[in-house]
Amino acid sequence: MGIPADIPEGGGKVCREEAALHGDAIGVEIGDLRPRFAELEQHLLRHGRVRHWSEWWHQYVELPLGDSDHDTYRQVMLLIGSLFRRLAPGDPRRVRVDEDRERHMWTRMREHLAATGTDPADCLYVCGAFHAASRVAEFGVHGADTFEIGPRTATKWQHGLIPSSHAAIEAQFGLAAGSVSIAATVWAKNLKRTRVRPYRLAGQAGAKKPKKAAALPAPVADAPTADRLTGFLRQPPVIDRLDEAELLGWSVDIVRAARRAGYLASTADAIAVFETSILLAGMRDRAGPTPYDFQDAAVTCIEKDTVPGRRDVRRLVEIMMGGDRVGQVGYDALPPLARDVHDRLAPLNLKLQQRGVQRALLDIAGRPELQPCSDVLWMLRYLMPHGAARPIMGERRLGERPIQESWDLALGTHQRALIELGYEGVSVEQVLEQRLRRTAYGPQATAATVLEAVEDATLYLRSRRLADELGTRALEVLATERSVDGAPEVLRRVRRLLAYYRTSEPALPPWIESFTKTGYAHYCTLLPTAFGDDDATVGQVAAMLGFLFSMESLALSLGCDRTQLELAVAQSHPRQASKTALLWAAQVQLGHLSRADLRMRCEDLLGNPLVVPAYPRYLSGFLHALEPVPQLADFVVEAVSTAFGRLPDPVLLPWLPTLITTLRSGGSELAPLLIREAGRIFPGRLAALDEWVPPWRAAPPSARPGRRADGGRDIALLAVHPTTCDAVAELLGCDEPWQQADPRREGVALLDSHPATATALQALPAGR
């Protein structure tokens, strides 16, 4: 019984309740009897005893229609399409959009046929079951041309082909994992059983060359098509003997794959999988086991409750059924960038579209024409994922030219990444330049990252224009930074760039001169804060001092003031022992602290029992001080040797991991200095070690020449070169004349220098 659509307004609440109930009868609106697709799917899955839609489609559509002819298959698809239309949402706007899309499609197709003169019999209409039949007047080749298509918009569409995979298709359409691989297996099985030759396009993979066409028989008039669908739906399922042999092969293969994956599978498990598959098919009212039944049986009989390897049994079944196959895009369908890459790498004589890893050997010294190939490969290594282009031998550094290189290329495996590069530009140089700019002007850009972009632009693109632009950007970013986190990276990169420009170009670029001036003032300003900040590491502070000391000569020549650095060091008051040692090293470099005073401070530290446990931290600071003050390498060797000789084992042994970590972190720069200096100081043979005396202990203070003797030598040197002395005196404004030396005074000075000789001469007899 239906509920009236219109209810009288004056009926009140009671009238509306009676209209809704009609006593004991339940009123149902006719429109609610139409189920939606989700409800139908749940209904089909429950009554079909399957888990998901892909399994139902395989069981009740693809598998029964495997032996059917074209007309029967088309009739079933039309029925399914009409069912989908009836289950479509009742929103008129959604229906209108679907119908307008079909009108647009068929109007465009008829326009193309009319413009090209193509015979519709030579065309193939590919669509889903939803669009196999339609009620719109424009549907079909002979449809009406009543739909008006509006003018094109100014939107520029970027389109192209990318290699798709089974997993991508399953994710796109919401299918179960492995359903596409199972469908491909069933398709190949039906082709083998029915001996039907699939249609392949010219040039498609697997297509054979066309043979000479034989004379075709005269066309025969089409006979009236009989209704085969009714008979097909009424016939009982037929069990094929090939299914049993196929199921047996699957059972053996899955046990073999499980053994390789680490499962303890045996022949008994293969038999159990075979029998369980048949049992599950019978429980689900199926004529024979499907791949989904086999998958459930394999999981039940083999996997048990643990997965010993990376893959579970369900994934092993998917791989056995075909795995996640990835498609391939031909050369003609590639974007211009991808085709340009293939053309520029043609001298390598490799099949770049082939999957797998291929080895490329480049003898650039013997074949200079391979230099452009090397440039392309280095840019691809920068732009594409790891493994697409991997160098085995050879490297690219600033100021160096390659001689020989060896590469492992997998461009066919990473074809999608190469195609996606084509959507960013028309050449790899353009894409690389865009990415470098995006990195330099990004919100997270730092001075170190921008300098890296400058180095990459010089290294891969050899573009002075882009390097100057990015260098100016690095100067802007450095001026806005308020932390010293990137100081070590800034120091390393600016040193490399400065060394490159000094050796390869007649003059330094203006941006690097400005960067040196700004960096000198910037780090001088941040130096006192960094010394007192506990968050700033000793390596970062050492990098700041390294920038200031290594760039000092260039900065002073550009107009910087050294007083700013001296004031920054004087205002630094570190609280950590390692930073204190670093500050002492900076004072030695500036001349505010002598080596003798520094050695005396270290002796005082070792002589204080309260400071001895913290002495290794001072040594760590001295190790980091080799970055800004490499001239202290001999003193660091002396300090470490003294520590190993005097520190007790409870203090020394826990410090050794810190020493090793410090040397390992800066091993590329710090360790060679220490090793070279230690090799110069320590004896080369073990036998000489017992009699070896350290050079800092070799000369006692009493044996050193006095100040008077040194002064005498200086006076003698001035007397030998009077012209130099006159020039210096004129510059200083001294006009005093030369004085004659008193020989008797020289003799007195000689006796004062050698009192033992004077005493011996005085003891001799008077006649002698």
Side-chain angles (χ1 to χ4, degrees):
M1 179 182 295
I3 299 178
D6 297 330
I7 300 177
E9 295 182 2
K13 181 178 180 181
V14 178
C15 181
R16 292 179 180 274
E17 292 178 354
E18 292 179 355
L21 297 177
H22 283 278
D24 296 334
I26 299 177
V28 180
E29 187 179 355
I30 299 298
D32 290 341
L33 290 177
R34 294 190 307 162
R36 298 297 181 258
F37 179 75
E39 300 172 2
L40 175 65
E41 182 181 7
Q42 294 298 327
H43 177 81
L44 295 177
L45 296 184
R46 183 174 65 256
H47 291 276
R49 299 183 180 181
V50 292
R51 292 168 300 175
H52 41 74
W53 172 256
S54 302
E55 186 175 357
W56 183 91
W57 184 268
H58 168 267
Q59 176 66 24
Y60 295 101
V61 179
E62 293 290 346
L63 196 60
L65 292 177
D67 298 332
S68 302
D69 57 357
H70 174 268
D71 295 334
T72 304
Y73 196 91
R74 183 173 182 272
Q75 190 174 4
V76 172
M77 291 297 110
L78 291 176
L79 291 176
I80 295 174
S82 63
L83 178 62
F84 286 169
R85 285 184 175 275
R86 290 181 177 273
L87 298 179
D91 188 359
R93 292 175 299 179
R94 176 66 179 274
V95 176
R96 180 68 178 176
V97 170
D98 293 338
E99 293 181 352
D100 286 347
R101 184 170 55 177
E102 292 176 345
R103 293 188 179 97
H104 185 277
M105 287 191 304
W106 278 105
T107 302
R108 286 298 188 193
M109 283 189 285
R110 280 194 300 272
E111 290 178 358
H112 179 75
L113 292 176
T116 59
T118 306
D119 187 3
D122 298 333
C123 300
L124 186 64
Y125 173 51
V126 181
C127 67
F130 188 87
H131 301 287
S134 178
R135 64 184 179 182
V136 298
E138 292 80 7
F139 184 85
V141 179
H142 304 289
D145 293 329
T146 56
F147 184 73
E148 296 183 2
I149 300 177
R152 295 181 180 271
T153 62
T155 304
K156 185 177 180 181
W157 294 95
Q158 301 288 347
H159 57 86
L161 298 177
I162 59 175
S164 185
S165 63
H166 290 177
I169 296 173
E170 293 163 359
Q172 180 181 0
F173 295 99
L175 304 177
S179 57
V180 178
S181 301
I182 293 175
T185 303
V186 175
W187 170 258
K189 170 186 171 183
N190 292 335
L191 290 179
K192 181 178 180 181
R193 180 173 60 248
T194 58
R195 298 181 181 180
V196 175
R197 187 177 64 182
Y199 177 78
R200 297 184 182 274
L201 299 174
Q204 184 179 357
K208 299 180 180 179
K209 295 182 179 180
K211 298 180 180 179
K212 186 177 180 180
L216 297 177
V220 182
D222 294 340
T225 304
D227 181 15
R228 301 184 181 180
L229 180 60
T230 305
F232 166 75
L233 296 176
R234 290 179 178 177
Q235 67 181 2
V238 180
I239 300 179
D240 193 352
R241 292 184 178 275
L242 293 177
D243 291 341
E244 183 177 351
E246 182 184 46
L247 179 61
L248 184 60
W250 287 351
S251 303
V252 175
D253 292 341
I254 189 59
V255 169
R256 183 184 297 111
R259 287 176 180 174
R260 294 175 180 174
Y263 291 90
L264 300 177
S266 61
T267 306
D269 293 316
I271 299 174
V273 171
F274 181 85
E275 297 294 342
T276 306
S277 301
I278 298 176
L279 178 62
L280 289 177
M283 295 173 60
R284 296 167 179 174
D285 294 336
R286 300 176 183 175
T290 65
Y292 298 96
D293 299 328
F294 169 76
Q295 190 178 50
D296 294 340
V299 172
T300 304
C301 299
I302 297 178
E303 187 169 305
K304 307 297 189 303
D305 56 347
T306 58
V307 178
R310 294 182 304 167
R311 300 186 178 98
D312 55 4
V313 176
R314 191 174 301 278
R315 178 58 181 160
L316 293 177
V317 173
E318 294 175 8
I319 296 175
M320 190 186 69
M321 292 292 177
D324 184 19
R325 298 183 181 180
V326 182
Q328 197 80 6
V329 179
Y331 174 84
D332 296 330
L334 293 174
L337 182 144
R339 292 200 301 268
D340 179 63
V341 169
H342 284 275
D343 295 339
R344 294 167 68 176
L345 296 180
L348 299 179
N349 297 324
L350 297 176
K351 298 179 180 179
L352 298 178
Q353 288 189 324
Q354 182 178 347
R355 294 188 180 278
V357 180
Q358 303 180 66
R359 179 64 57 87
L361 302 176
L362 284 73
D363 184 9
I364 301 175
R367 298 179 58 188
E369 66 273 11
L370 296 180
Q371 177 64 41
C373 297
S374 174
D375 297 338
V376 174
L377 291 176
W378 282 108
M379 286 186 286
L380 291 178
R381 176 182 178 269
Y382 184 90
L383 295 172
M384 296 187 65
H386 177 72
R390 185 167 59 94
I392 303 301
M393 180 185 67
E395 58 183 354
R396 177 156 290 198
R397 293 183 178 179
L398 291 175
E400 297 182 1
R401 300 186 63 181
I403 300 177
Q404 288 182 342
E405 293 179 354
S406 177
W407 291 80
D408 276 352
L409 303 180
L411 298 183
T413 305
H414 297 83
Q415 189 185 47
R416 177 170 181 172
L418 181 61
I419 292 175
E420 290 176 349
L421 286 181
Y423 299 153
E424 301 184 35
V426 295
S427 65
V428 288
E429 288 83 1
Q430 181 186 5
V431 176
L432 181 56
E433 183 174 344
Q434 291 177 355
R435 292 197 179 182
L436 292 178
R437 280 201 176 94
R438 193 181 306 125
T439 301
Y441 291 93
Q444 304 297 330
T446 61
T449 57
V450 181
L451 286 177
E452 182 181 4
V454 174
E455 186 175 351
D456 293 337
T458 307
L459 198 61
Y460 300 117
L461 296 177
R462 298 186 177 92
S463 175
R464 176 65 182 275
R465 170 190 56 82
L466 181 61
D468 292 346
E469 177 187 345
L470 299 180
T472 306
R473 172 61 180 170
L475 177 62
E476 299 173 358
V477 175
L478 179 66
T480 59
E481 287 185 350
R482 292 297 176 264
S483 65
V484 296
D485 297 340
E489 190 68 17
V490 169
L491 175 62
R492 284 192 293 268
R493 296 196 178 278
V494 77
R495 276 179 175 175
R496 281 201 295 263
L497 290 171
L498 190 60
Y500 168 74
Y501 287 126
R502 280 176 171 172
T503 56
S504 62
E505 297 188 8
L508 294 177
W511 74 265
I512 202 168
E513 294 182 352
S514 302
F515 189 90
T516 303
K517 294 173 58 179
T518 304
Y520 190 86
H522 178 71
Y523 286 132
C524 282
T525 304
L526 296 180
L527 188 62
T529 305
F531 265 112
D533 188 5
D534 294 337
D535 295 334
T537 62
V538 62
Q540 295 172 353
V541 180
M544 294 174 60
L545 291 173
F547 185 93
L548 295 172
F549 290 150
S550 60
M551 303 291 174
E552 184 178 10
S553 58
L554 178 60
L556 295 181
S557 65
L558 296 175
C560 294
D561 190 2
R562 194 169 191 263
T563 307
Q564 188 176 6
L565 175 60
E566 294 179 350
L567 291 176
V569 173
Q571 293 174 358
S572 301
H573 302 287
R575 294 187 296 267
Q576 299 179 7
S578 57
K579 291 183 180 180
T580 301
L582 190 61
L583 179 62
W584 292 348
Q587 293 174 351
V588 171
Q589 178 68 15
L590 293 175
H592 298 167
L593 185 67
S594 64
R595 289 205 175 193
D597 295 337
L598 181 61
R599 184 177 292 106
M600 187 63 64
R601 291 186 180 183
C602 293
E603 292 289 339
D604 294 341
L605 293 177
L606 288 175
N608 190 346
L610 299 179
V611 186
V612 167
Y615 187 75
R617 301 177 186 175
Y618 289 91
L619 292 182
S620 299
F622 285 132
L623 289 176
H624 284 93
L626 293 178
E627 178 73 43
V629 191
Q631 299 84 359
L632 285 180
D634 56 343
F635 178 80
V636 174
V637 173
E638 174 187 346
V640 173
S641 302
T642 305
F644 273 83
R646 297 182 57 178
L647 286 179
D649 291 344
V651 176
L652 182 62
L653 294 180
W655 170 68
L656 289 179
T658 304
L659 173 64
I660 297 173
T661 304
T662 304
L663 292 176
R664 186 174 182 180
S665 60
S668 59
E669 300 177 0
L670 303 182
L673 292 175
L674 291 178
I675 294 174
R676 190 185 309 114
E677 190 64 27
R680 186 184 65 84
I681 294 177
F682 289 95
R685 296 183 179 181
L686 185 61
L689 187 60
D690 296 335
E691 301 177 357
W692 174 73
V693 178
W696 53 87
R697 297 181 182 176
S702 58
R704 296 175 184 174
R707 181 179 300 177
R708 183 177 298 177
D710 291 340
R713 286 196 296 269
D714 296 340
I715 295 175
L717 184 64
L718 293 177
V720 174
H721 303 281
T723 306
T724 305
C725 184
D726 292 340
V728 174
E730 184 178 357
L731 291 175
L732 296 177
C734 299
D735 53 356
E736 297 181 4
W738 284 86
Q739 298 180 1
Q740 296 293 332
D742 189 1
R744 291 176 299 178
R745 182 60 187 169
E746 293 181 0
V748 173
L750 185 63
L751 292 177
D752 292 340
S753 301
H754 305 280
T757 305
T759 304
L761 291 176
Q762 190 176 11
L764 291 175
R768 309 240 346 232

